Amino acid sequence: MVSRVIPVDKFDLVIFGGTGDLARRKILPGLHRRYLAGQMPEGAQIVGAARAVLDDQGYRDMVREAITEFGDAEDQDEAKLAAFLEHVQYLPIDAMGEKGWEKLAKMIRPGMIHAYYFSVGPSLFGELAERLQLYGMADENCRIVVEKPFGRDLESARELNKVLAAHFDESQIYRIDHYLGKETVQNLMAVRFANILFEPLWNAQYVDHIQITVAETVGVGGRGAYYDKSGAMRDMVQNHLMQLLCLIAMEPPSRFGPDEVRDEKLKVIRALEPVDPHHIVRGQYNADGKEQSYRDDAGDPKSLTESFIALKCHISNWRWSGTPFYIRTGKKLKARESEIVVVFKDAPHLIFGQSSGQHCNTLTIRLQPNEGMTLGVTIKDPGPGGMRLIDVPLDMTFAEALGEEGSDGPDAYERLIMDVMRGNQTLFMRGDEVEAAWGWTDPIIAGWEERGEVPKPYEVGSSGPEDAMMLMHRDGRRWREIKE
Ligand SMILES: NC(=O)c1ccc[n+]([C@@H]2O[C@H](COP(=O)([O-])OP(=O)(O)OC[C@H]3O[C@@H](n4cnc5c(N)ncnc54)[C@H](OP(=O)(O)O)[C@@H]3O)[C@@H](O)[C@H]2O)c1
């Protein structure tokens, strides 16, 4: 268990949607782990709230089950679990009606931090915000946490921002993109801005291109009908991949503060050029005898929604002009893997002659699995027979380099929930950032819809459609292999 914890002050946390999938899978097991780590203070109160009629004991039984199912095996100490559950209560409440609200208002303790986690569909955000205000719970000590998807286009995102802004100040709104809570994602900033080594090379003069891959092995499974209204662009690129792109491309902020960091990310999004339709490849996975096709999973034999997307984009500013960023994400691919590869340009002059071959340095940042970084360097191939060169990895897997502390930090949700309690918005998306991201994605989506483009089929367990490979090959480049 983590040894260096920064304790948070006592808090009241209300989880609207406390019986839902996200609460059971992530939020509650995460809070339990923070409790075990000593970060959740005695006196903290967690209130699950949903329409289901349950009493405290019934809810605690549900939370216990969720922690047993989704928590870590080594965290299942019965006495500690029972002590954690003492902090948990339940209140039947209807976001759309008046049931439960007066009672909730009485449970909120004055003078203490209170956070309201909107773990419900976005159509309920306005109802919740309004009632929190109406029942006197939206004071200056409160924070609200909202989940993705934050809208499905610029217009709906603006509408959601407007609804929330009517009741809360931007400093009280925490829009979660759980990718930002990942240890390695934050490490991106540490690597870039705490080392002198990389910054001089971190620009179009020395970087040939950057690849960002988020590959999943799962399909859309039981949530096919929901996913079919969204697709990989809305579900993954507009949020997670764009956040990664921002962190890799942004200018150094003047300090590691919420607005300083988010201002710089926003500048990257605003500098993104529109994408040439020829630089976009969309795909759908095929049936493979054992597993259904995307269209079967989506329940629509004519679906045009993509379960895979690869695209090439450019950032028009001094640092990156001319350096392409290739990003791809998809479902039912060869392996579960998220990584960023910075591919540096070749050395300007080869003193070892043509026979030594072409070599370039790469910096690979692995977000999952095996979080860590690898610097690809060129060395002499050992042995006699002249100056042959080979590329070798300088490998740093965090779990190996840092021992127990490197492998046992808080997961993304745990970290982000504790940041909410601490009032630190650095790893949350600001309203203007989300709108800018939709502002870039909307015309891309509108373009392929207008053209009636049909996604290319790809095999389950592959690296995506052949055309995605061609996107790189045409430029004389290659994707890094998605490794099983
Ligand atoms: N699941 C994930 O892994 C995940 C990941 C990222 C984002 N999200 C987002 O997180 C949110 C929650 O997702 P989920 O998967 O947990 O959904 P879910 O399993 O459908 O749960 C929805 C929750 O909302 C409650 N609810 C529904 N209508 C309500 C009402 N009128 N008043 C009060 N409570 C109400 C439900 O309980 P009752 O029916 O008993 O009221 C349930 O607890 C969604 O916006 C989703 O897009 C989920």
Side-chain angles (χ1 to χ4, degrees), residues 392-438:
V392 292
L394 270 179
D395 195 3
M396 189 174 82
T397 300
F398 294 149
E400 277 172 26
L402 305 173
E404 212 181 296
E405 286 190 6
S407 61
D408 200 23
D411 90 350
Y413 271 95
E414 294 171 42
R415 179 190 309 276
L416 293 173
I417 295 169
M418 290 300 118
D419 276 1
V420 173
M421 300 313 172
R422 276 200 289 267
N424 184 350
Q425 287 185 305
T426 310
L427 302 176
F428 296 83
M429 292 180 296
R430 212 168 51 192
D432 52 2
E433 216 183 312
V434 179
E435 288 185 15
W438 282 121

Side-chain angles (χ1 to χ4, degrees), residues 17 19-22 50-52 93-96 119-121 124 147-149:
T19 57
D21 182 68
L22 182 68
R51 288 168 306 177
I93 207 163
D94 186 354
M96 310 272 283
S119 183
V120 295
L124 294 180
E147 269 293 340
K148 85 162 201 186

